Amino acid sequence: MKKIESKHLLGLEKISKKDIETIIDVGFTFREVLERPIKKVPVLNGKNIVNLFFENSTRTKISFELAEKRLSADVTNFSASSSSVQKGETLKDTIQNIHVMKMDCVVMRHPVPGSCLQLTNYVDVPIVNAGDGTHEHPTQALLDMMSIKERFGKIEGLNIGIVGDILHSRVALSNIYGLIKMGANVKVCAPPHLLQRGIEKLGVSVCYDVDDLIDWADAINVLRIQRERMGIGLIPSTREYRTFFGITNERLARHKKELVIMHPGPINRGVEIDSEVADSDQAIILDQVLNGVAVRMSVLYLLLGSKDFE
Amino acid sequence: MSKRTLNSKGNILLKNGRIYDPFLLINEKSDLLISDGFIEEIKKDIKIKKDFDVIDCEGKIITNGFVDIHAHFREPGFEFKETLETGSTAAIHGGYTRVCTMPNTNPVIDTPELVKFIIDSSIDLPIYIHPIGAITKGQKGLELAEIGQMIQAGAVAISDDGLPLTNSQLMRYALEYSKKFGIPVINHAEDCCLVNQGTMHEGDVSLNLGLVGNPDISESTMIYRDLAIADYVGGSLHIPHVSSSKSLDVIKFFKEKGVNVSVEVTPHHLALTDKALQSYDTNAKVAPPIRSDIDRESIQNAVCSGLINCIATDHAPHSIVDKERDFNNASCGMIGLESAFGVTNKVLKDKKTVESIIDLFTINPCKIINIEPNLIMEKKLAELNIIDPNIKWEFKPSSIKSKSSNSPFVGEKLIGKVMMTINKGFCINNF
Amino acid sequence: MEINLHKNKSILLNKEQISNLILRLSHEIIESQKNIDSIAVVGIRTRGEIIAKRIIQNIYENYKKKIDLGILDVTFYRDDFSENLGSPKVGPSDIPFNVNNKNIILIDDVLYTGRTVRAAMDELFAFGRPDSIKLGVLVDRGHRELPIRADFIGKNFPTSDNEHVHVLVSEIDGEDKVNLVKY
Ligand SMILES: [Zn+2]
């Protein structure tokens, strides 16, 4: 009677294509719920979900919280700065303190890769990865794929470009795993030193010229440039980045083609993307935000609805 | 498994074993009688007498105690991870009768007084401890420590292990100065900038796990630097825990040039690849990291060809609190003394003779640090192992004698075991 | 899979009988309301939806009135959510009209415990505040667990606990038929 095979959502590397399809399909059902005058359904009535955020993330946290509340779950928020984690309390200590409160599900954001997987050793409830360092951010990729499917009616066979700091991006890695699994063609474009060595082994192609990417792609996912990457010599300046990798008005005008633009937010206007582009009809950035809530409702519904946890 | 001193009960007769002592070039079947901790008689068909424990050593090898030239016993300063006593107990249970301890304790072993403290503390322990002194004061990498006086006090080598010696000019001074004392300089070879806070080998697995990679070139470039300096100024360089194929290429080049260099490898670099980290197992997080299939294969070949001289454990105990952390903040290192022979022998048994595997634990490390154990001769204090090279056994957590149990080999099936160790009047019986 | 479990199966209603019952329901619904324009018919997925569509077609043919159609998927409102996942296919609800001030006729194929109807009414209120809700079913088989009754009933079939009423419709099942199945 299980709706998906996965017990947790730790990432898209290990999850099956069928599970991804189910999550996206059920996500569309929740999109309809979100358009009702009363956007709340009682499916997770009486369930306790804790949002464990070891790293600041206003957007992801709000999206999860909204999803949980619209499923009628009881929500507990626990925020800890990553520095306090480094100072001594182990992940195990933290989670055991929380576990005695009898939670039904843990949503965790952590600065270190693999933390969500480690968490599964300490608690036996479903774990949802809300971003683990430079590893994965599966719900972001799921909402990106849902937005692609909404726009194109399919994912398979599409050419999807990802441009930005691929090396430090959990969004990129999850998107690559998910999109490849769903049959899309993926090309990444970045300054060469901001690409993982051997990234082609994940099944993607690589280019350094964003104009080539635009020519090739049906849609491109524009990654946010983290300001903290500047100043340590990785990105010489915002204007240099914009010159070679920015999705600018002039650049798009030169190409004269239908291209769907995505961005996980928050946007650095005038750096990785121009304001006019971000606000244009070809951008589906606001759909992504709405789909983010819907797909997170879908994930929580499918993980917590399984009888195996009763 | 019982531990008792020989002195309390007395005497042991080892029947039907094969005695292998590479120092004496002996390799023959013979009985061996130990009385009061000393070897009383070595000959064929010694008659069984009363008050003697008789051990049937049929199919087993009686050989010298093992020597580890790279271990961390944590005392002074980190006694919650390991002490000289618990480290020694772990050592003798793994067949080690002599261990060289690294100086990265708190305080750092950088004076003759501290060297003497370690040696004095180990007098009543079941093994001999040979301290390694720091190259620089406080291992800060700024000025040379009292190397000469530490050697006089009993140190057998110098190292800032735990950290690399980044200052190339200091490395030159250390190699030059050590020539006067005839001891090797051991540098933990990693270029910190190229390590780039990497927590595992940079490769396919780090790509999948989203972890920052530590590339093999962080090691090979540093080894190149050290060897180029040694080539230029002389001195004796010892390269610890080599981990990569690229480093071995560099070492081969300089060895063929005639540079005085020796190389050790750990059992884990010999046996594991970065796939061991696929589920973020912090027990397999070590520095330098375990690397790719190709690196492991090169290491195994280099052990067989003799390019790598010996096995050293890099025994690095850490408490549960240090290891049960997120991957980036978990400490590096694993314990190794109790599993070293079983792991190494399992990997090498089809590639090398058992005698040449034993050499990696006995005569080869002794040559590097210029020490000689008590040989297997009549009238000598017994310092020996009885080895079963074919026995399959499981490395169980309940059997671990180290104060820490951070090892990815826990629960693994190993092949070959030290069945009994006799040293300094102590007898450890694993039969 | 279900078929193998059936020990006994008998036909309660055939195609013609079903057609007549739905036609009668359609007339009763219209006759019960003073203001036909305020009526909207909402079918509960999946067979209630089909019956609702046929009722609307009947009303159009007999009264030349186009009645609003809505569809409810009550999965998210069920009270037995964690025990009984039901069909793994969750679909969106579709209420393409303003629910406020409407007289809603809720349609399902079989009325049994009343829990589905309870869920449907709760869900309807997520879309607005109707003036009234009435319930129409093709078959009422009894065994209510909640204080719910139908306003329009095609046929009453008192059943025992080990019996089930299966409504088949040609749009989904290829034929119109109502079976009584004994377990
Ligand atoms: Zn080291």
Side-chain angles (χ1 to χ4, degrees), chain A residues 1-3 26 28-30 32-33 36-38 40-44 47 301 304-307 310, chain C residues 73 75-78 81-88 90-95 123 125-128:
Chain A
M1 289 301 258
K2 256 186 172 180
K3 293 186 175 182
V26 174
F28 282 114
T29 307
F30 282 109
E32 179 270 312
V33 170
R36 296 178 188 178
I38 293 175
K40 187 166 174 164
V41 287
V43 272
L44 296 188
K47 300 278 186 191
Y301 164 76
L304 282 167
S306 172
K307 234 185 151 179
E310 294 303 310
Chain C
D73 187 309
T75 312
F76 297 147
Y77 278 82
R78 294 188 69 94
F81 168 71
S82 50
E83 289 86 49
N84 176 16
L85 277 166
S87 149
V90 188
S93 294
D94 183 15
I95 307 291
E123 181 159 5
F125 280 100
F127 291 89

Side-chain angles (χ1 to χ4, degrees), chain B residues 70 161-162 188 241 314:
Chain B
H70 190 152
D161 190 70
H188 177 113
H241 43 54
D314 195 7

